[in-house]
Every structure is written in C-alpha cells, then in structure tokens.
Amino acid sequence: MTGSTWLARVEAAYVGAAVEEEFGLLSVDVPPDRWTDAVTVARESLGCTFFDWLSAVDELEEGFRVVCHLAARRTGAVEHLVVRTRIPRDHPVVASVAGVFGGARWHERETHEMFGIEFTEDGAVLPLEGLLLPEEFEGHPLRKDFVLASRVARPWPGAKEPGESDERPRAARARRRALPPGVPDPGQWPGSTTQDEP
C-alpha cells in the first residue's frame, strides 16, 4: 500500500480528526472522550493489529499528550499509525485501552507511575500497581517539574561560557557550575550543601 493510499484510509477512518504526517509517520489527534474509540477504529477499520507501545509526553502548561503507536502488517509492508490525545495537567485522566489491546495494561501502569496519569475503565479509576520504582518513591520522575535529587547531590558540569576554552589558565576558567534545568538553588534544597568549585 502506498503512503498516499494509507493516508487516505486513515483520513477516511477519522473524519473530522486532525491527521498529520511527520517523518513518514501518520499521527491522528483525537479528544480524550474519543480515545478508546479511536484506538478501536485503528484495530478494526485500519487493520492495526500490532500494538507497539503507549506512553505520554509532558507538555507543561498544555497538559499531557498520551500517545499510542500501532502498526498494520501487510505482505511486503508495514503501515504505522500514532493515535494521540491531550489531557489537562490538573486532571490527568483518560480511559484505558487494555480492553482493545491486552498488552496496553503494562504500558498504562508504567505511564501512571512515571507521569501520574490515571486510567479508567467503565468510569472507575483503575488501581494500577507500580512497575519500576520502589514503593517508598514519591513523585513522578518523567514530569518536567520533577526535581532529580541526584543532580543536586552531584555537581552538574553545565556548558562552557562563550569564548571559554581549555587552553586558558585554570584561574581564568574558574566559575560556578551551572545547575541543571528544574533544580532549585542550593539554598532552597533541604539539606543541600552544594558549594562553588574553584
């Protein structure tokens, strides 16, 4: 199936939805209340019977984008499709697609643990168990506002200042190390004793 034929089939299956092609991959954006239906359409109408993965992207003020990558395998070709939806940051809840693809439950558990996104089934929030983090771990490490304690405890090398090179004397190169994005100043971090390096 040619790329234009696959695009035409996807557009016909998702009438009124935004379909875009980037880097040879088709993506369709659907509202959260149509999420499960959109994944079902991909399987039933487009033949996307191969579930690859499901995850999320933290888009800060815009919320979280939940992403599902599917594929339709045909003789001599594989057609890929990404189904996406955006959910609000202050209420990150979306329906589960494990009823459509059983393998999605593992991915939903990981997405719940890493981003704090809740998945529902028949309107009830699923009690998803953790997969990767210890039970005492607090927070969701793939959110962009999550502060990594290891970056505070260990010096962050930062980038060199413009014009600075390794040939200059050490005294001329000395400067305070840059903090990684999202890490508060040492005075704001509880118990922090980070010092400037010579």
Side-chain angles (χ1 to χ4, degrees):
M1 183 179 299
T2 65
S4 59
T5 306
W6 178 239
L7 174 60
R9 285 193 62 201
V10 170
E11 288 177 333
Y14 295 102
V15 177
V19 178
E20 52 183 60
E21 184 175 6
E22 297 175 306
F23 307 107
L25 181 66
L26 290 183
S27 300
V28 59
D29 291 298
V30 298
D33 60 340
R34 302 290 299 161
W35 171 245
T36 305
D37 293 339
V39 174
T40 303
V41 165
R43 187 188 70 187
E44 302 298 329
S45 301
L46 297 173
C48 293
T49 56
F50 180 76
F51 172 86
D52 192 11
W53 52 265
L54 181 147
S55 190
V57 178
D58 184 350
E59 296 184 343
L60 296 173
E61 296 82 22
E62 295 179 16
F64 297 100
R65 188 182 296 263
V66 181
V67 183
C68 181
H69 180 256
L70 306 168
R73 294 184 283 188
R74 303 184 195 343
T75 305
V78 177
E79 304 291 354
H80 297 270
L81 179 66
V82 172
V83 182
R84 308 182 298 198
T85 191
R86 185 177 288 141
I87 56 177
R89 187 173 199 83
D90 59 348
H91 187 64
V93 178
V94 70
S96 171
V97 294
V100 183
F101 291 102
R105 179 72 78 221
W106 189 94
H107 297 259
E108 290 174 350
R109 287 172 60 193
E110 182 183 40
T111 303
H112 168 71
E113 186 173 39
M114 295 294 154
F115 292 94
I117 294 172
E118 300 284 352
F119 290 87
T120 63
E121 205 166 73
D122 298 324
V125 174
L126 294 170
L128 299 175
E129 296 179 20
L131 286 172
L132 307 171
L133 302 173
E135 286 184 21
E136 65 275 5
F137 191 91
E138 294 182 18
H140 306 287
L142 291 185
R143 286 188 174 202
K144 290 184 179 174
D145 58 1
F146 184 80
V147 177
L148 296 174
S150 62
R151 288 195 172 169
V152 173
R154 187 172 185 194
W156 177 258
K160 290 187 174 187
E161 297 293 328
E164 187 175 286
S165 77
D166 292 332
E167 289 78 34
R168 294 174 64 191
R170 181 165 175 79
R173 288 192 325 244
R175 64 178 173 85
R176 182 174 184 246
R177 297 268 182 171
L179 291 174
V183 174
D185 288 330
Q188 296 175 339
W189 188 260
S192 173
T193 57
T194 305
Q195 296 177 353
D196 291 350
E197 293 194 359

